[in-house]
Amino acid sequence: MTVEQITRTKSRVSEKTGLPLHAVDATAAELDDGHGFHPDPIQIARLRRKIDWRLLPLLSLMYLCSFLDRVNIGNAKVAGLEADIGLTPSEYNWALSIFFIG
């Protein structure tokens, strides 16, 4: 929808909503890429669902592994990790912060 078309419809009112037509068509005008493409909300929902089903299991597994690493580094310190590999307390703290940041 062009600016000229929007200005022509400002005086008309939508029968369904009672809003001016330019307010109803504002989203279509904002989404118009100049080629007449208007995304279908149903297709957008399907695409979003498909992305969710592919990404969420992987992200959940990565979060689980991250959580297990954070738990195990504490157990490793109790079991003598610092003495076994010769870490100073500050080096251990740096290694620990890496697990919590990344």
Side-chain angles (χ1 to χ4, degrees):
M1 196 172 210
T2 65
V3 176
E4 187 176 70
Q5 290 171 333
I6 292 173
T7 55
R8 272 190 273 146
T9 60
K10 281 188 178 182
S11 59
R12 292 188 283 168
V13 176
S14 172
E15 294 174 5
K16 292 180 183 177
T17 62
L19 297 172
L21 284 178
H22 72 279
V24 175
D25 292 336
T27 56
E30 291 168 2
L31 293 175
D32 192 5
D33 63 352
H35 299 289
F37 174 72
H38 300 288
D40 182 22
I42 295 172
Q43 289 179 342
I44 290 173
R46 285 181 185 163
L47 177 64
R48 196 173 285 147
R49 198 173 314 119
K50 185 185 250 186
I51 291 171
D52 287 348
W53 276 104
R54 293 197 182 192
L55 285 180
L56 283 178
L58 179 64
L59 293 175
S60 299
L61 180 66
M62 290 172 59
Y63 181 76
L64 174 69
C65 291
S66 172
F67 177 76
L68 291 176
D69 283 342
R70 283 185 267 159
V71 170
N72 284 334
I73 191 118
N75 293 334
K77 182 178 181 182
V78 171
L81 173 75
E82 287 179 298
D84 288 347
I85 60 174
L87 287 177
T88 64
S90 65
E91 290 172 338
Y92 173 78
N93 287 336
W94 274 107
L96 184 64
S97 66
I98 289 170
F99 282 105
F100 280 94
I101 293 171

